[in-house]
Amino acid sequence: MRSYTFFERFSRAFHDYPSLSKLIVVSTVSGGGLIAYSDANASTDDAHAVKPPEAGLKKKKVVVLGTGWAGTSFLRNLNHPSYDVQVISPRNYFAFTPLLPSVTCGTVEARSIVEPVRNIVRKKNVDVCFWEAECFKIDEENKKVYCRSNQNSNLNGKKEFAVDYDYLVIAMGARSNTFNTPGVEENCHFLKEVEDAQRIRRTVIDSFEKASLPNLTDEERKRMLHFVIVGGGPTGVEFAAELHDYVNEDLVNLYPAVKDSVKITLLEAADHILNMFDKRITTFAEDKFQRDGIDVKLGSMVVKVSDKDISTKVRGNGETSSIPYGMVVWSTGIGPHSIIKDFMKQVGQTNRRALATDEWLRVEGCDSIYALGDCATVNQRKVMEDIAAIFSKADKDNSGTLTVKEFEEVIKDICERYPQVELYLKNKKMSGIVDLLKEAKMDVAKESIELNIEEFKSALSEVDSQMKNLPATAQVAAQQGTYLAKCFNRMEECEKNPEGPLRFRGSGRHRFQPFRYRHLGQFAPLGGEQTAAQLPGDWISIGHSSQWLWYSIYASKQVSWRTRALVVSDWMRRFIFGRDSSRI
Amino acid sequence: MRSYTFFERFSRAFHDYPSLSKLIVVSTVSGGGLIAYSDANASTDDAHAVKPPEAGLKKKKVVVLGTGWAGTSFLRNLNHPSYDVQVISPRNYFAFTPLLPSVTCGTVEARSIVEPVRNIVRKKNVDVCFWEAECFKIDEENKKVYCRSNQNSNLNGKKEFAVDYDYLVIAMGARSNTFNTPGVEENCHFLKEVEDAQRIRRTVIDSFEKASLPNLTDEERKRMLHFVIVGGGPTGVEFAAELHDYVNEDLVNLYPAVKDSVKITLLEAADHILNMFDKRITTFAEDKFQRDGIDVKLGSMVVKVSDKDISTKVRGNGETSSIPYGMVVWSTGIGPHSIIKDFMKQVGQTNRRALATDEWLRVEGCDSIYALGDCATVNQRKVMEDIAAIFSKADKDNSGTLTVKEFEEVIKDICERYPQVELYLKNKKMSGIVDLLKEAKMDVAKESIELNIEEFKSALSEVDSQMKNLPATAQVAAQQGTYLAKCFNRMEECEKNPEGPLRFRGSGRHRFQPFRYRHLGQFAPLGGEQTAAQLPGDWISIGHSSQWLWYSIYASKQVSWRTRALVVSDWMRRFIFGRDSSRI
């Protein structure tokens, strides 16, 4: 029988009508001058004909492993009530991983980039259960996964349980790859999880506190304040930049006695840092780091890490050297989790860096198992593998030759099924498929081109060279999750009316369009309120304006209004008060 | 050669002129409707004649152990440049401990209540060094303290160092007291440090995740969600209230399947909870907890804690029982750290609960060592111990009797030196000392009262009964720190012109006024936006209005504008979005 205060009623209103809070935060965000960003994929509210399942119809059990970008965007977009979803993950939250480098230095707080999974799935009309546990075995034959709670106390030995599935969605992400370099596992920090970022933050402060202690030699002090980053990819570069800003904007004021001993080194095995970016960005970043005093060592491979030294080999001349360090952050690449490795063996996929799926994200050889995100790789089918089937399918009159008219009838399906064809035409600046055929059959008027199978092969022989693996980014994972959820939402419908391309090696059509990645651009924050942006259409932007674009996009991409408000207020707090250096 | 953006210049302005930020936050705070609170002790800016030390004069080395309330308020108020200060603490930050119960449930974030010590002491004109280390030995004879870094890696064995001092200020706080109850150390949570609060938060979420796992019996689920709090003091009660709110306002929505299994039990060995408060508050709190479904077990002593059960004994009838639990928070009282115990043995103070000091906060028997806060207790001198000295000092003409006139000349000094005299008069509703003397010598006109030593003794015989130990609160510690800093600031001045009361057992005057605690009131938050407040003059207030008083006082008492802004925005965030339950 308690009476409600104004604020209780106020907050209750927000709980009951969450959209109310948007009003407030929108005004906050726009008040902050952030640019609105239209999200090409944010169609979470798509009202895809959500009908209640027929009475008596048993719901299909969907098990989702993992709550990262792929798993969460799948869950957010799944809205057909005919599924009974169980989510299993060792973390009960989703983390906005692109802000992890900011968390390492307290530019953004860890709590501001996480959102409980239960909160994300709560308002849905789909039944979703969440278990905080780790999956340790996938039994494909019996359609079961085996899980184990990662809490080690007070469970009366009931840590393990099994869950049945009709569909399994594997979205467990990947782990950092040490390339079996000795000493890395024991002595280096990684930057994959929120806990990693928090640990790095504490270690940076610890290093400064240690170096400030009395009775140390200059040499020891310098060693303790030598921060080494291995890997010049976007994460490593962003962390180096964040650390440099943290040291120079905040820590030098609090630790004036040791500020001259600080050194940041970035080791990169290749010839340039940020080598997935445009050359202009790479050059700008390298120059900026040089001005900032960040020592970028290119062509430098790490061969061993001991508890105090890191040994490197110069790629050109094989010279090795050993540098004393205080902290190493290892950010070189990713590899599969051991359970994924086991599962790959089980399904006969050996010698791969990730689970291979078809273009519909189904694990090769497993009809009801899907894999998305960093743990998977889409195995794009080659045109040349199917060339005979394509030819015979296109050759409707079985004449043994293909006319332009016949070809034009299947070209849409070919381009859908084999996106490399379209890419090839675009890169060769060809206006259409006819140009391609023309190449094989010179000196003939367009209408009268006729190709036999050998000529057809030679026309398409170069096409597969355009195939590229998708990068292991949040963007790919999120798009895959959204794609798969939409397929699941329309499963019944598309079983009846398939909408995919022609099955060249079978009859009828595929149920769905295959997954297509749409690259929206990529950022590389370089510190000092400068960011490099490479947007679609090779649009390059470097500097303060891109930093503001970065702020607005990262704010708009947040998974909830709570995290959005927190991240924006963290940025403001940092501008006003700087970053905190309490060791908690 | 970087150009500054608007925001860089903006934030630079704040760094250089911190008072600017006050403007912004003041408007934030007042915008939130918080009542301004005039701080009776916030005279940090006192411009106590800060002169530069004479050239060639060696600075006095002051070593401060601890950065809690006492140590920090000493450092904030010390402003005489003749000291060379070294601060040693295992934590490089100050924590606003009264908000720790809020941190356990995420009402306030841990980061919002901490401020780096280096930041607190940075703008001072006193030389201050900080070492993040633990003091493990005090060598009083050689005026040295021995310290050890609490970082275990990468220090080349140079973890230990010694520091010389001229003055030592011990402000290390206390640890939780288990009263040697078996199993407490191993199985219970404490609530003394920021890390404790963070651990409790994670454990609460873990309990809910564990209880949500499949294949558990109802009994197991109930055990996991049984939260036991031992100790019905302000901390225990506030934690119970916070936990109840967290569960009922936030967690029930995310864990609907297990919400009926949650139980909160509060065990108190005495007859009532909050027994240092007024009876009305105690009754209100007990009633409110009953309505809320918090099981308050009074007269219940814990005798043993195993990994799954907690055993209690009813104080009246000795009946024992054992209750299964999921989490126990132990909040019963405090005891000295082992280094304080060692030091107490060293200086001959055995069988005490804390370091005894005189009324000037000097450790008894140690001229240059001071102790403040929870690790110390002021050993107020009894009037009866000094009665002969007082008499002979007052009896200026050595007549063997004391006239009222003679007495009135020393009465000010007596009241200053022995505050219990004044308290006794007040409690007996006597208007002045003459009333007291009159009691001993009835039927005599005021002017002609004359007392011999025996009559004098009997007049003052009851006075010492008014003596009370100071409570171990943040308020006492902060006031002691401020007091001692002011003494240090005026050391030179007061050496020349002592301003304290007469030395009854010596000649001349004491240098300083003795420390006097001024009680400003106490709060007990009871959950559901209700707080009980007991303010000076026995002013009692319970309910929503006191909650707002609590908000405004706790906001105004923050140690920096950064923490103030963060705490206020945390409260707002909680109102709008609720508390987060991500397990990080």
Side-chain angles (χ1 to χ4, degrees):
Chain A
M1 288 295 114
R2 39 190 274 225
S3 64
Y4 289 130
T5 62
F6 164 70
F7 257 93
E8 272 175 310
R9 258 178 272 134
F10 184 68
S11 64
R12 204 157 291 271
F14 274 107
H15 282 211
D16 298 347
Y17 308 101
S19 58
L20 261 182
S21 61
K22 297 191 183 184
L23 273 176
I24 289 196
V25 188
V26 158
S27 56
T28 311
V29 171
S30 59
L34 296 175
I35 304 150
Y37 177 75
S38 88
D39 185 335
N41 266 288
S43 46
T44 32
D45 302 328
D46 268 5
H48 273 310
V50 179
K51 290 175 226 133
E54 289 168 44
L57 205 76
K58 223 177 137 227
K59 289 191 172 192
K60 292 273 191 190
K61 276 183 252 166
V62 178
V63 171
V64 180
L65 303 179
T67 52
W69 280 96
T72 306
S73 83
F74 174 76
L75 291 170
R76 288 178 79 195
N77 288 282
L78 187 71
N79 57 14
H80 201 283
S82 65
Y83 299 107
D84 185 354
V85 183
Q86 302 189 59
V87 187
I88 296 158
S89 168
R91 277 167 293 284
N92 77 351
Y93 54 86
F94 162 79
F96 192 87
T97 46
L99 283 176
L100 276 186
S102 299
V103 172
T104 57
C105 298
T107 308
V108 162
E109 288 301 326
R111 185 76 56 185
S112 307
I113 65 164
V114 298
E115 182 71 23
V117 176
R118 292 173 189 275
N119 225 358
I120 294 175
V121 300
R122 183 153 67 104
K123 293 143 205 159
K124 299 184 69 66
N125 58 342
V126 185
D127 287 332
V128 182
C129 286
F130 173 80
W131 319 123
E132 193 189 79
E134 195 139 20
C135 171
F136 65 92
K137 198 184 149 200
I138 299 168
D139 181 353
E140 191 223 344
E141 214 166 297
N142 300 305
K143 293 195 163 193
K144 259 181 205 301
V145 291
Y146 291 88
C147 307
R148 182 186 292 145
S149 163
N150 51 1
Q151 299 198 18
N152 42 18
S153 68
N154 256 343
L155 269 167
N156 269 342
K158 291 193 175 173
K159 293 178 67 167
E160 298 190 359
F161 57 95
V163 179
D164 295 319
Y165 66 80
D166 293 312
Y167 297 112
L168 178 65
V169 178
I170 305 177
M172 304 172 88
R175 53 168 197 78
S176 294
N177 199 343
T178 64
F179 304 102
N180 295 322
T181 314
V184 173
E185 206 77 69
E186 300 85 336
N187 300 304
C188 294
H189 287 266
F190 299 107
L191 188 41
K192 289 284 297 169
E193 309 284 344
V194 176
E195 282 88 350
D196 294 337
Q198 290 176 309
R199 219 172 291 128
I200 288 175
R201 183 173 186 179
R202 277 196 295 270
T203 309
V204 171
I205 298 167
D206 278 349
S207 303
F208 275 85
E209 288 296 350
K210 270 191 291 191
S212 303
L213 288 175
N215 76 7
L216 292 177
T217 64
D218 263 8
E219 197 188 329
E220 284 168 324
R221 195 158 279 142
K222 277 191 177 148
R223 178 177 64 74
M224 285 167 187
L225 293 175
H226 185 203
F227 301 97
V228 180
I229 295 121
V230 183
T235 308
V237 166
E238 185 174 351
F239 170 65
E242 276 281 349
L243 183 63
H244 173 263
D245 284 359
Y246 186 29
V247 169
N248 287 283
E249 293 172 8
D250 300 289
L251 294 180
V252 289
N253 300 320
L254 297 187
Y255 302 84
V258 300
K259 68 179 173 190
D260 296 325
S261 310
V262 183
K263 192 179 166 194
I264 301 173
T265 301
L266 179 61
L267 302 176
E268 165 61 51
D271 290 335
H272 287 289
I273 59 171
L274 295 178
N275 47 34
M276 65 292 292
F277 281 86
D278 189 276
K279 190 86 195 68
R280 285 166 284 176
I281 291 181
T282 301
T283 312
F284 181 89
E286 284 171 3
D287 289 352
K288 180 172 187 308
F289 276 13
Q290 199 179 6
R291 284 197 306 275
D292 286 347
I294 299 174
D295 189 8
V296 179
K297 288 210 163 85
L298 299 168
S300 192
M301 280 169 57
V302 175
V303 289
K304 199 185 131 198
V305 184
S306 80
D307 62 339
K308 289 202 186 82
D309 297 293
I310 180 164
S311 307
T312 57
K313 192 165 85 178
V314 178
R315 210 157 41 94
N317 54 21
E319 244 173 51
T320 62
S321 62
S322 178
I323 338 168
Y325 74 86
M327 176 174 110
V328 177
V329 173
W330 187 269
S331 159
T332 54
I334 55 169
H337 284 296
S338 59
I339 172 189
I340 299 286
K341 266 194 225 161
D342 290 348
F343 181 61
M344 280 159 68
K345 260 185 225 156
Q346 213 178 302
V347 297
Q349 295 189 6
T350 37
N351 299 320
R352 282 184 170 279
R353 65 162 191 88
L355 259 176
T357 70
D358 62 18
E359 296 89 334
W360 292 267
L361 309 184
R362 227 167 10 190
V363 174
E364 282 186 350
C366 308
D367 245 12
S368 41
I369 304 184
Y370 297 81
L372 1 163
D374 289 0
C375 68
T377 176
V378 178
N379 207 3
Q380 178 64 50
R381 206 156 168 89
K382 290 189 181 135
V383 172
M384 293 318 278
E385 283 171 343
D386 297 338
I387 194 85
I390 299 172
F391 188 86
S392 74
K393 202 88 180 190
D395 184 20
K396 276 196 183 156
D397 57 3
N398 286 322
S399 66
T401 56
L402 222 56
T403 62
V404 168
K405 198 172 155 281
E406 280 176 327
F407 199 76
E408 277 176 339
E409 271 170 27
V410 292
I411 184 64
K412 191 169 153 272
D413 290 301
I414 292 177
C415 286
E416 259 174 26
R417 184 73 186 78
Y418 309 94
Q420 62 266 44
V421 174
E422 214 166 9
L423 209 63
Y424 181 79
L425 294 176
K426 199 178 145 199
N427 287 347
K428 290 272 175 186
K429 299 194 170 41
M430 291 180 179
S431 65
I433 197 86
V434 178
D435 288 350
L436 189 68
L437 302 183
K438 249 186 171 167
E439 246 187 16
K441 202 97 175 182
M442 302 290 230
D443 320 318
V444 179
K446 182 189 154 194
E447 296 72 29
S448 53
I449 295 177
E450 275 199 39
L451 285 87
N452 62 23
I453 175 92
E454 286 312 316
E455 288 165 331
F456 187 60
K457 265 189 197 168
S458 104
L460 294 169
S461 60
E462 293 292 305
V463 163
D464 289 331
S465 66
Q466 294 299 318
M467 283 165 52
K468 244 199 249 177
N469 278 331
L470 295 177
T473 61
Q475 214 176 124
V476 171
Q479 288 184 21
Q480 289 183 336
T482 309
Y483 165 81
L484 193 64
K486 285 183 181 169
C487 292
F488 271 65
N489 290 338
R490 316 182 63 221
M491 191 83 88
E492 269 175 58
E493 216 176 312
C494 293
E495 295 277 12
K496 291 175 205 148
N497 309 306
E499 56 181 26
L502 268 180
R503 286 180 197 270
F504 289 106
R505 282 164 307 153
S507 64
R509 294 189 158 269
H510 290 278
R511 285 179 303 178
F512 308 106
Q513 301 278 353
F515 171 72
R516 279 282 190 100
Y517 171 60
R518 196 167 148 200
H519 186 62
L520 298 172
Q522 200 174 0
F523 286 101
L526 301 173
E529 294 299 305
Q530 301 199 47
T531 286
Q534 181 163 1
L535 298 173
D538 272 332
W539 190 64
I540 303 287
S541 160
I542 308 174
H544 300 293
S545 55
S546 324
Q547 179 73 24
W548 285 97
L549 188 66
W550 183 88
Y551 280 132
S552 55
I553 290 181
Y554 275 37
S556 77
K557 288 283 187 185
Q558 292 300 318
V559 79
S560 77
W561 283 99
R562 188 187 64 85
T563 57
R564 190 166 299 133
L566 290 182
V567 163
V568 172
S569 73
D570 279 353
W571 287 330
M572 279 162 38
R573 187 250 309 137
R574 202 276 282 167
F575 273 123
I576 300 173
F577 300 109
R579 301 168 185 87
D580 184 42
S581 63
S582 307
R583 199 227 174 255
I584 57 168
Chain B
M1 287 300 114
R2 39 189 272 224
S3 63
Y4 291 131
T5 63
F6 164 70
F7 258 92
E8 273 174 310
R9 259 179 272 134
F10 184 67
S11 63
R12 204 157 291 269
F14 275 107
H15 282 212
D16 297 347
Y17 308 101
S19 58
L20 258 183
S21 61
K22 298 191 182 183
L23 273 176
I24 289 195
V25 187
V26 157
S27 56
T28 310
V29 170
S30 59
L34 296 175
I35 304 151
Y37 178 75
S38 87
D39 185 337
N41 265 289
S43 46
T44 32
D45 302 329
D46 268 4
H48 275 310
V50 180
K51 289 175 228 137
E54 289 167 45
L57 205 75
K58 222 178 140 228
K59 289 191 174 191
K60 291 273 191 190
K61 277 183 251 165
V62 178
V63 171
V64 180
L65 303 179
T67 52
W69 280 96
T72 306
S73 84
F74 174 78
L75 291 169
R76 289 178 78 195
N77 289 281
L78 188 72
N79 55 15
H80 200 282
S82 65
Y83 299 107
D84 186 355
V85 183
Q86 302 189 59
V87 186
I88 296 157
S89 168
R91 276 168 293 284
N92 77 350
Y93 55 84
F94 162 80
F96 191 87
T97 47
L99 283 177
L100 276 187
S102 299
V103 172
T104 57
C105 298
T107 308
V108 162
E109 287 301 326
R111 185 75 55 184
S112 307
I113 66 164
V114 298
E115 183 70 24
V117 176
R118 293 172 188 275
N119 224 358
I120 294 175
V121 300
R122 181 153 68 104
K123 292 143 205 161
K124 299 185 69 68
N125 58 342
V126 185
D127 287 333
V128 182
C129 286
F130 173 80
W131 319 124
E132 192 188 80
E134 196 140 19
C135 171
F136 65 93
K137 199 183 147 198
I138 300 168
D139 181 353
E140 190 222 345
E141 214 166 297
N142 301 305
K143 293 197 164 190
K144 258 182 206 299
V145 290
Y146 291 89
C147 306
R148 182 187 292 143
S149 162
N150 51 1
Q151 298 197 20
N152 43 19
S153 69
N154 258 341
L155 269 167
N156 269 341
K158 291 197 174 171
K159 293 178 68 166
E160 298 189 0
F161 57 96
V163 180
D164 296 319
Y165 65 81
D166 294 313
Y167 298 112
L168 179 64
V169 178
I170 305 177
M172 303 172 87
R175 53 170 197 79
S176 293
N177 198 343
T178 63
F179 304 103
N180 295 322
T181 313
V184 173
E185 207 75 70
E186 300 86 335
N187 300 305
C188 295
H189 286 267
F190 300 106
L191 189 41
K192 290 282 298 168
E193 310 283 344
V194 176
E195 282 89 351
D196 294 338
Q198 290 176 309
R199 219 172 291 128
I200 289 175
R201 184 173 186 180
R202 276 196 295 270
T203 309
V204 171
I205 298 166
D206 277 349
S207 303
F208 275 85
E209 288 296 350
K210 268 191 293 192
S212 302
L213 287 176
N215 75 9
L216 292 177
T217 64
D218 262 9
E219 198 188 327
E220 285 168 325
R221 196 158 278 142
K222 277 191 177 148
R223 177 176 66 72
M224 286 168 187
L225 292 175
H226 184 204
F227 300 98
V228 180
I229 296 122
V230 183
T235 308
V237 165
E238 185 175 351
F239 171 64
E242 276 281 349
L243 182 62
H244 173 263
D245 285 358
Y246 186 29
V247 169
N248 286 282
E249 292 171 9
D250 300 288
L251 294 180
V252 290
N253 301 320
L254 296 186
Y255 301 85
V258 300
K259 67 177 173 191
D260 296 326
S261 310
V262 183
K263 192 180 166 194
I264 302 174
T265 301
L266 179 61
L267 303 176
E268 165 61 50
D271 291 335
H272 288 288
I273 59 171
L274 295 178
N275 49 33
M276 65 293 291
F277 280 87
D278 188 277
K279 190 88 193 67
R280 285 166 287 177
I281 291 180
T282 300
T283 312
F284 181 89
E286 284 171 3
D287 289 352
K288 179 172 188 307
F289 276 14
Q290 201 179 6
R291 284 194 307 276
D292 286 347
I294 298 175
D295 190 9
V296 179
K297 286 210 164 87
L298 300 170
S300 191
M301 281 167 58
V302 176
V303 290
K304 199 184 132 199
V305 184
S306 80
D307 63 339
K308 289 202 187 81
D309 297 292
I310 180 164
S311 308
T312 56
K313 192 165 84 178
V314 178
R315 208 158 40 95
N317 54 20
E319 244 173 49
T320 61
S321 62
S322 178
I323 339 167
Y325 73 87
M327 176 175 111
V328 177
V329 173
W330 188 269
S331 158
T332 54
I334 55 167
H337 284 296
S338 59
I339 171 189
I340 298 285
K341 266 194 226 161
D342 290 349
F343 182 62
M344 279 159 70
K345 261 185 223 154
Q346 211 178 301
V347 297
Q349 295 188 7
T350 38
N351 298 322
R352 282 182 171 279
R353 66 163 191 87
L355 258 177
T357 71
D358 64 17
E359 296 89 334
W360 291 268
L361 309 184
R362 227 166 9 190
V363 174
E364 283 186 350
C366 308
D367 245 13
S368 40
I369 303 184
Y370 297 80
L372 3 163
D374 288 1
C375 68
T377 177
V378 177
N379 207 2
Q380 177 63 51
R381 199 145 176 100
K382 292 189 179 135
V383 171
M384 294 317 280
E385 282 173 344
D386 297 339
I387 194 84
I390 298 173
F391 189 86
S392 73
K393 203 86 181 188
D395 184 19
K396 276 198 182 154
D397 56 4
N398 285 324
S399 65
T401 56
L402 222 56
T403 62
V404 167
K405 196 172 156 287
E406 280 176 326
F407 200 74
E408 276 175 340
E409 271 171 26
V410 292
I411 184 63
K412 191 168 154 275
D413 290 304
I414 291 178
C415 286
E416 259 174 25
R417 183 74 184 80
Y418 308 96
Q420 61 264 46
V421 174
E422 213 165 11
L423 208 64
Y424 182 78
L425 294 176
K426 199 178 147 202
N427 285 347
K428 290 274 176 186
K429 299 194 169 42
M430 292 177 179
S431 65
I433 198 85
V434 178
D435 288 351
L436 189 69
L437 301 183
K438 250 186 169 169
E439 249 188 11
K441 202 94 176 185
M442 302 291 229
D443 320 317
V444 180
K446 182 190 156 192
E447 296 72 29
S448 53
I449 295 177
E450 275 199 38
L451 284 87
N452 61 23
I453 175 92
E454 287 311 316
E455 289 165 329
F456 188 61
K457 265 189 196 168
S458 106
L460 293 171
S461 59
E462 294 292 304
V463 163
D464 288 333
S465 67
Q466 295 298 319
M467 283 165 50
K468 244 199 251 177
N469 278 331
L470 295 177
T473 62
Q475 214 175 125
V476 170
Q479 289 185 22
Q480 289 182 337
T482 309
Y483 165 82
L484 192 65
K486 285 183 181 169
C487 292
F488 270 66
N489 289 339
R490 316 182 64 219
M491 190 84 87
E492 270 176 59
E493 217 175 311
C494 293
E495 295 277 12
K496 290 176 206 148
N497 309 307
E499 56 182 26
L502 270 179
R503 285 181 197 268
F504 290 107
R505 283 164 306 154
S507 63
R509 295 188 156 270
H510 289 280
R511 286 179 302 179
F512 307 107
Q513 301 279 353
F515 170 71
R516 281 283 189 101
Y517 171 59
R518 196 166 149 204
H519 187 61
L520 298 173
Q522 200 173 359
F523 286 101
L526 301 174
E529 294 299 305
Q530 300 199 49
T531 286
Q534 182 163 0
L535 299 172
D538 270 334
W539 191 64
I540 303 288
S541 159
I542 309 175
H544 299 295
S545 55
S546 323
Q547 178 74 26
W548 284 97
L549 187 66
W550 182 87
Y551 280 132
S552 55
I553 290 181
Y554 275 37
S556 76
K557 287 285 187 184
Q558 291 300 317
V559 79
S560 77
W561 283 100
R562 189 186 64 85
T563 58
R564 190 166 298 133
L566 290 182
V567 163
V568 172
S569 72
D570 279 352
W571 287 330
M572 279 162 37
R573 187 249 311 138
R574 202 277 282 168
F575 273 123
I576 301 172
F577 301 108
R579 301 166 185 89
D580 183 42
S581 63
S582 306
R583 199 225 174 259
I584 57 166

